[in-house]
Amino acid sequence: MSLRTPLGTVRGLGSAKTGTEHWWMQRVTAIANLPLVGFFLYFIVAHLGAPRSAVVASLANPLVAILLALAMVSMLWHMRLGLQVVIEDYVHGAAAKLALLLFNSFYAAVLGAAVLYAILKMSFGL
Amino acid sequence: MAETKPTARPLSPHLQIYRPMLTMMMSIIHRLTGVALALGMVLLVWWLSAAAMSDDYFNLVQELFGSWFGKLVMLGFSWALIHHALGGLRHLIWDTGRGFELKTVELMARANLAGSFSLTILLWIVGYGART
Ligand code: HEM
């Protein structure tokens, strides 16, 4: 005997989860990535071999700081969605899959927090 | 419980004996570049974080990235990014229901490769020119 009703034990086990939303956000971030990655490449090329002060000076411009922040958020969001698909395709053990999916989310969150902190710190001239 | 009876169905060919085709390689490369970019994001975040820390630390990181090995990694990263971006564009075109004719698919695959190699070379030429 189990505490759970027969219906309760099967609910949520179907394949219909949040696939549409996932697929759609992968496209939204892909489209956002196109101009933002272009800007990001431009930012890097403009600071090759430059001293730290030059990077900080560029980020003092709010437009540059905001675009760079948007670029990082869009890329990392897209990255998390993409890696999730790769994990779901190749990792079939329930525990290993859950562990990797958690790691994937934390990876994106930690990188995002670190890079946004760095951008804001420089932008505010701290 | 219903038993599944083993039936003699034709098997799809194994990957090892499948004749490699350009479109199939492109599909794999899109995934590989995606995963490679995900690993490379650590380097980008490291670079920006170093810039937010101190002059000494930023100089060290700039030097590492500017070494021959650092440049090699960055060359790979920039190509992967450009190739994946163009490949993504291809996916977005397919998402509108267009570009599925075999000829078009083949053409887009070739344009994707040609575009990623030439744009990467162009980026590095501009990079060397713009270096301060
Ligand atoms: C302009 C930039 C980019 C565009 C247009 C783009 C586009 C796309 C598209 C359309 C897909 C879905 C492909 C499919 O359904 O099979 C995809 C997958 C993926 N992308 Fe991107 N992407 C870009 C940048 C990036 C970046 C910067 C990263 C990593 C940080 C990344 C990582 C991935 C990963 C891991 C996948 C999953 C690969 C797979 O399922 O095979 N992408 N990308």
Side-chain angles (χ1 to χ4, degrees), chain A residues 8 16 18 22-23 29-30 32 40 57-58 71-72 76 79 82 86 93 104 108 117-118:
Chain A
T18 51
H22 184 284
W23 187 90
T29 52
F40 186 68
S58 298
M72 296 312 291
L76 289 171
M79 174 191 86
V86 176
N104 180 35
Y117 173 80

Side-chain angles (χ1 to χ4, degrees), chain A residues 26-27 30 33 78-79 82, chain B residues 30-31 34 37 41 84-85 88 91:
Chain A
Q26 183 105 55
R27 312 295 133 168
N33 271 350
H78 178 91
M79 174 191 86
Chain B
H30 190 76
R31 175 156 283 197
L37 289 173
M41 288 305 282
H84 183 94
H91 271 279

Side-chain angles (χ1 to χ4, degrees), chain A residues 37-113:
Chain A
V37 163
F39 171 78
F40 186 68
L41 285 176
Y42 167 76
F43 182 87
I44 291 181
V45 168
H47 294 96
L48 286 174
R52 194 180 89 88
S53 55
V55 180
V56 176
S58 298
L59 284 170
N61 181 339
L63 192 65
V64 174
I66 291 171
L67 278 177
L68 196 61
L70 283 177
M72 296 312 291
V73 168
S74 181
M75 284 161 90
L76 289 171
W77 190 347
H78 178 91
M79 174 191 86
R80 178 175 166 265
L81 294 174
L83 285 183
Q84 183 186 335
V85 177
V86 176
I87 293 168
E88 286 166 350
D89 278 355
Y90 301 132
V91 184
H92 300 303
K97 182 157 81 179
L98 183 65
L100 277 172
L101 288 177
L102 274 176
F103 177 77
N104 180 35
S105 294
F106 294 159
Y107 179 67
V110 168
L111 288 189

Side-chain angles (χ1 to χ4, degrees), chain A residues 72 76 79 107 111, chain B residues 36-49 65 77:
Chain A
M72 296 312 291
L76 289 171
M79 174 191 86
Y107 179 67
L111 288 189
Chain B
L37 289 173
L39 297 176
M41 288 305 282
V42 166
L43 301 177
L44 299 185
V45 173
W46 185 28
W47 183 67
L48 279 170
S49 299
F65 279 29
F77 184 86

Side-chain angles (χ1 to χ4, degrees), chain B residues 9-130:
Chain B
R9 286 198 208 91
L11 285 172
S12 57
H14 287 284
L15 210 52
Q16 294 95 315
I17 61 161
Y18 211 85
R19 183 172 67 86
M21 290 186 290
L22 183 63
T23 45
M24 159 185 155
M25 299 315 286
M26 293 297 289
S27 169
I28 296 169
I29 291 173
H30 190 76
R31 175 156 283 197
L32 282 182
T33 51
V35 173
L37 289 173
L39 297 176
M41 288 305 282
V42 166
L43 301 177
L44 299 185
V45 173
W46 185 28
W47 183 67
L48 279 170
S49 299
M53 284 163 82
S54 69
D55 288 331
D56 284 347
Y57 191 61
F58 185 63
N59 288 341
L60 177 79
V61 172
Q62 285 277 68
E63 234 169 81
L64 283 176
F65 279 29
S67 69
W68 70 265
F69 185 69
K71 278 193 189 127
L72 198 67
V73 174
M74 283 304 117
L75 185 65
F77 184 86
S78 56
W79 175 77
L81 184 57
I82 291 169
H83 187 86
H84 183 94
L86 293 179
L89 200 58
R90 225 159 43 106
H91 271 279
L92 293 172
I93 293 170
W94 282 327
D95 290 341
T96 69
R98 273 164 270 234
F100 285 107
E101 299 78 21
L102 287 182
K103 254 192 171 156
T104 318
V105 169
E106 198 76 10
L107 188 78
M108 284 202 295
R110 282 167 203 284
N112 192 168
L113 275 174
S116 68
F117 283 118
S118 44
L119 282 178
T120 305
I121 293 170
L122 191 71
L123 181 74
W124 281 71
I125 291 174
V126 172
Y128 266 95

